Amino acid sequence: MDELLAHHAENIPITPDEAVEAAAEFAALPRRRGAFLRLLRRPGPAVAFGYLVVIALAAIFAPVIAPYDPNQIDVPSRFAPPSWDHLLGADDLGRDLFSRLLYGARVSLTVSVAVIVIATVVALVVGLVAGYSGGAVDNVIMRVADGGLSFPPLVLALAVAGILGPGVVNVIAALSIVFVFGLTRLVRGTALVVREEPFVEASRAAGSRTRRILVHRVFPNIRSPLIIAATFGIAGVLLAEAGLSYLGLGPRPPAASWGNMLRNAYDRGLYKASWQLFVPGLAIAFTIYAFNVLGDGLRDVLGVGRSRRAKRRERRGMTTVERVRTPPAAPTSDDALLRIEDLSVEFVSERGASRVVEGVSLAIRPGETVGLVGESGSGKTVTSLSVMRLVPSPPGRIVSGAIRFEGRNLLDLDFEAMREVRGTGISMVFQDPMTSLDPSFTIGSQLAEAQRLHRKVSRSAARARSIELLDLVGIPAPETRLRQYPHQLSGGLRQRVVIAMALANEPRLLIADEPTTALDVTVQAQILDLLKRLQRELGMAILFVTHDLGVIADLCDRVAVMYAGQIVEEAAVEELFAHPRHPYTAGLLGAMPQVGGAGERLTVIPGQVPMAHAMPGGCRFADRCAFVTDACRSGRIDLVATGAAAVRCVRAGELTLQGAR
Amino acid sequence: MRLVVRRLVAVVPTLLIVTFGVFLMVKLVPGDPAVNAAGGLSATPEAIAQARVDLHLDDSFFSQYGRWLGNAVQGDLGESYQSRTSVVDDLAKRVPVTLSLIVAATLFAVLLAVPLGVLSGLRPNGGVDQGSRVFSSLAIAVPNFLLALILVLVFAVRLGWLPPSGYTKFGDSPAEWLKFIVLPAIALGVAVSAALMRQLRAALVDELDTNHIRTAWAIGGSRRRVVGIHGLKNASSPAITILGLQVAALVGGAVLVEQIFAIPGLGTYMLGAITQADLPVIQGCVLVLALVQIVLSLAVDITYALINPKVRVAT
Ligand SMILES: Nc1ncnc2c1ncn2[C@@H]1O[C@H](COP(=O)(O)OP(=O)(O)O)[C@@H](O)[C@H]1O
Ligand code: SF4
Ligand SMILES: [Mg+2]
């Protein structure tokens, strides 16, 4: 979108829909004060502005500064190279190029400013009338603007100027006509958007007169986009003017303009003194560039679109591992399918690194279903993505630990080796089914791709398997679905497709990251039933991630509770529900809607998860815990294992907490 | 198919307004068209009066427009004041020339922009990205006619690799055509290429952060597959939009570029007519150039719709 906006601003004639869209983005932004000063604090725009001031002054004071009469012919110095006599040399008639350049600047700037002023004023009036009155008036005005925008701008300008004949005034008239259509669209689009804003509606309802609303409400909102468009517009006019005068439609000779100087240098000097091309050429290029830089700067300080520098990172589909401590040694014998040990993950930003997962350890045996529970933001997704090495890097990186899958440490693998594990050993289903599938490919091709990435399969075999998979995940009429695109399917169906893709290569472990959260309640239940059935039928292990303890009970064997990047309790599911040992677990259980009950929340844990960059030193739950004592805050609290269970609480031994009711 | 029809229908009002604009433009010319048609200032009063009747100048404004439009639809845009040849015949000879220039420029733009845009999008801030950014800044600042002059200077005058001007029909000799079209196509295509490249880069950078790309990695996608197929296909839609917006610049720029390289297309035809105040020719050229823009934009629009399943396949 950012680039689209840039494009609009730089190329005044805009197509209808994008114009409105662009205007909406402009209008949605708050007005910023002191923008001009902030603009000049940036090096690029400051230099551009300085340059333009110099050019403007040079143009205004051309008669004083110019060492020669710009039209004074002096045959002996024809094609004279730059020297102290002729700063920029002389042309084929010996006219001083520096003087001509100064007078040319007058033409360029006069035309640019005049055209933009005329076009903007007309566009403001017409656009506001159209946007504000709506209905038939708007319709007619916009049809005309559409028509106007259907002419290639330069062609229209040429035709008008050509019919009117050469001369500065005619060029101004021609270019004003060309530029007015795009600006009108912009104003009208913004006015339309602003019109719908609550404060304008309110003024209207309060009986404010139209003119008042326009002047006090609508205009201020149009100002920023208009200033930006006008700045880029000046560059556009400058370019068009140079083009027209190159073609001989500018000021009548011998008067100088940059365009006709260029033409003259080309026609007369190409073989004898080609450097002459660069005198007006560079002036044109620099000036256009300066206006563009100024426009870009304005767009940034007026807050339109995100900064271009914002998103500059590489995406290679592999999380970086940069360990700060040595990984734990591999166990001699291991009955676990997946064993996460001491996993820590950081996100690096300008404000420093924030560690959002800290020392997480978790094991899953073959065929076992383990729940990972915790409030949103506790690090569940980051933990799961780490297993797939799919935490986006940068800004994410894994800073400690080992993730052993079937004995191999996934954190030591390179991209190719990891790629082999993804989809075959471990598959993952994500939270948002609406965006998890590629909108540009059919369901069939995405299912086939999932298979073909890992083994050679014929087209028909892949198709047969796809049908089988869709059947497996309970999608009726699979043949039809294969030909459809994701947007033709409901959220529930899409999630089934994603699950089918995940199952394509019979993985030993399925990570399901809140697979039902984005779906509505009945569909949620269906997907959960599906997962239960798949687990029974296929016997794979599942890591089921959720913020909702309620769905864990009849799905999981064991549960790990996560809080603020750490595991705080782990136990068999019945044990955890009956006898929670961590106050946070108890809090979650208390917040659970009762089975068969009215579904109301009983207790909600007060307070919020601490921010990753401001973690308390001791127990991370201390600020929200009803049982907090000084000991809780005094130092690091370890996860203490007793048999198959573990808890991270100094008072775990003494507290008796209420389980699920 | 229905989609194509819908787009075509939507173009009709625009066409009416465009033709009206073209008609109006000439009606607003100062001076008496009858005098011009009768041969200028030396025309006899009888000849002028005859011309008034021939040109139906005494009819009402709208019936004149209606007649003109009717003739235009039947392929009659009048005769050139100068050569007395049919404007439509002359236009028909020149349209393919201009189109071949625009197509060549677009091809050049795409061939340059796609690899650069993709490489920049893959490694934002990498070497290619930095280089491309400099290139696109330059492309924006240097107008196509200036670039054309510089290209002539360097490749035709200094190095002598390519002819400075002229044209051969593609049908006559593709190799010759290529020799003549290379420089004009570059001059015209560079700015388009820069816009396209920036859009492609931005779209790709955004695209690679989406959820479905994460899915593509998660099923074990190779870099070529994820970036080159899933990333690029989705990033191409916004890029095509940009191409559509650039059509206007291409058509307008073609006029200047043709003039500089002496390519006998619509642009040179129109410029010649302007110096001779040959109104029917100017009128015809403006109309056809606007039509070229409308048709090309439409083509881009339809392409966009065709590769975008959300538009193509209704839910
Ligand atoms: N791409 C990212 N960039 C920066 N911070 C992130 C990113 N992804 C997640 N985080 C941060 O990591 C923390 C844990 O997030 P997450 O694992 O998504 O939580 P959960 O899945 O438990 O809701 C949050 O504070 C979140 O803001
Ligand atoms: S350590 Fe203290 S603050 Fe933390 S959960 Fe236990 S009792 Fe509460
Ligand atoms: Mg999450």
Side-chain angles (χ1 to χ4, degrees), chain A residues 3-4 6-8 10 15 18 143-144 146-147 149-156 158-160 162-163 239 242-243 246-247 249 262-263 266 270-271 274 277-278 281 284-285 288-289 292 306 308 311-318 385 388 390 415 419 422-423 430 432 435-441 449-450 453-454 485 487-488 501, chain B residues 13-14 17-18 22 25 29 122-125 129 133 137 140-143 145-146 149-150 152-153 157-158 164 195 198-199 201-202 205-206 208-209 211-212 214-215 217-223 225 229-230 233-234 241-242 245-246 248 251-252 255-256 259-260 270-271 274 279 282 286 289-290 293-294 309-310 312-315:
Chain A
E3 300 289 317
L4 260 184
H7 186 89
H8 290 314
E10 284 152 24
T15 62
E18 271 99 357
R143 286 287 143 265
V144 172
D146 278 353
L149 289 174
S150 301
F151 291 100
L154 194 66
V155 171
L156 185 57
L158 261 176
V160 176
I163 288 172
L239 199 140
Y246 180 89
L247 295 173
L249 291 168
L262 196 60
R263 177 66 175 271
Y266 183 68
L270 182 62
Y271 292 89
S274 56
L277 280 178
F278 294 94
I284 295 171
I288 292 175
Y289 190 56
N292 276 316
R306 65 194 137 77
R308 290 193 182 189
K311 270 196 159 185
R312 291 224 167 123
R313 34 178 125 109
E314 202 173 330
R315 286 283 170 261
R316 314 274 295 161
M318 189 75 163
L385 286 174
M388 299 290 282
L390 277 177
F415 179 84
R419 190 178 89 70
R422 293 174 179 165
F430 300 96
D432 188 1
T435 54
S436 286
L437 292 166
D438 190 326
S440 301
F441 291 87
E449 181 182 359
L453 284 169
H454 297 288
Y485 286 91
H487 74 271
Q488 294 171 285
M501 272 169 77
Chain B
T14 310
I17 289 179
V18 166
V22 170
M25 196 151 57
V29 178
L122 281 184
R123 282 170 189 260
N125 262 353
D129 190 24
R133 214 173 311 150
S137 301
I140 287 168
V142 178
F145 54 92
L146 179 56
L149 303 186
I150 296 172
V152 171
L153 177 63
V157 176
R158 284 288 148 84
R198 284 181 5 175
Q199 177 61 34
R201 173 201 179 277
V205 168
D206 282 348
L208 292 184
D209 263 339
N211 284 347
H212 66 256
R214 190 177 56 185
T215 308
W217 292 122
I219 59 174
S222 60
R223 289 195 166 124
R225 190 89 214 149
I229 307 284
H230 292 280
K233 173 134 192 207
N234 287 290
T241 315
I242 284 291
L245 296 176
Q246 289 287 330
V251 178
V255 175
L256 270 160
Q259 201 278 339
I260 290 167
M270 176 166 168
L271 290 172
I274 285 175
L279 287 177
I282 299 179
V286 175
L289 284 167
Q293 172 176 331
I294 292 172
K310 273 195 195 161
R312 180 171 34 137
V313 191
T315 357

Side-chain angles (χ1 to χ4, degrees), chain A residues 94-170:
Chain A
R95 296 177 293 194
D96 181 49
L97 283 175
F98 179 62
S99 306
R100 288 184 73 74
L101 200 67
L102 289 178
Y103 278 87
R106 296 191 113 180
V107 174
S108 295
L109 294 187
T110 313
V111 172
S112 311
V113 172
V115 168
I116 284 302
V117 168
I118 295 173
T120 306
V121 169
V122 175
L124 253 179
V125 174
V126 179
L128 281 180
V129 167
Y132 201 79
S133 51
V137 178
D138 180 37
N139 230 318
V140 170
I141 293 176
M142 281 306 107
R143 286 287 143 265
V144 172
D146 278 353
L149 289 174
S150 301
F151 291 100
L154 194 66
V155 171
L156 185 57
L158 261 176
V160 176
I163 288 172
L164 296 176
V168 173
V169 175
N170 292 344

Side-chain angles (χ1 to χ4, degrees), chain A residues 347 354 356 374-383 392 395 513-514 545 612:
Chain A
F347 285 105
S354 59
V356 301
E375 278 167 294
S376 145
S378 53
K380 306 180 301 290
T381 297
V382 172
T383 303
D513 184 5
E514 312 219 23
V545 178

Side-chain angles (χ1 to χ4, degrees), chain B residues 32-40 43 47-48 50-52 54-55 57 81 84 280:
Chain B
D32 188 345
V35 177
N36 282 325
I48 295 175
Q50 186 56 43
R52 288 198 80 77
D54 289 349
L55 297 173
L57 289 176
Y81 289 166
R84 294 286 151 199

Side-chain angles (χ1 to χ4, degrees), chain A residues 385-549:
Chain A
L385 286 174
S386 300
V387 176
M388 299 290 282
R389 296 281 297 274
L390 277 177
V391 175
S393 275
R397 60 173 190 215
I398 293 171
V399 292
S400 82
I403 298 177
R404 293 183 216 285
F405 179 73
E406 298 180 329
R408 268 202 304 180
N409 187 351
L410 301 182
L411 299 189
D412 293 338
L413 300 188
D414 63 6
F415 179 84
E416 263 315 303
M418 193 62 220
R419 190 178 89 70
E420 280 307 314
V421 176
R422 293 174 179 165
T424 56
I426 314 174
S427 280
M428 187 157 172
V429 172
F430 300 96
Q431 173 166 349
D432 188 1
M434 300 310 278
T435 54
S436 286
L437 292 166
D438 190 326
S440 301
F441 291 87
T442 59
I443 305 301
S445 95
Q446 297 188 58
L447 276 168
E449 181 182 359
Q451 302 165 49
R452 288 227 198 94
L453 284 169
H454 297 288
R455 55 199 149 84
K456 279 206 157 35
V457 254
S458 70
R459 205 167 268 279
S460 60
R463 195 184 131 81
R465 171 79 175 136
S466 301
I467 292 174
E468 189 184 307
L469 284 165
L470 289 184
D471 211 38
L472 179 71
V473 296
I475 293 182
E479 286 89 351
T480 337
R481 295 299 178 189
L482 288 185
R483 282 193 304 273
Q484 290 185 318
Y485 286 91
H487 74 271
Q488 294 171 285
L489 272 57
S490 68
L493 279 179
R494 284 192 222 185
Q495 194 62 302
R496 283 175 197 265
V497 172
V498 174
I499 293 174
M501 272 169 77
L503 299 180
N505 300 297
E506 300 173 332
R508 271 86 71 202
L509 173 66
L510 177 71
I511 302 177
D513 184 5
E514 312 219 23
T516 61
T517 306
L519 304 170
D520 54 32
V521 189
T522 42
V523 185
Q524 273 187 23
Q526 291 167 9
I527 297 286
L528 284 174
D529 286 341
L530 170 66
L531 285 173
K532 264 182 264 176
R533 178 166 62 79
L534 291 173
Q535 175 201 26
R536 259 199 329 269
E537 289 175 11
L538 307 176
M540 67 194 162
I542 297 182
L543 175 61
F544 189 84
V545 178
T546 179
H547 65 272
D548 183 2
L549 262 179

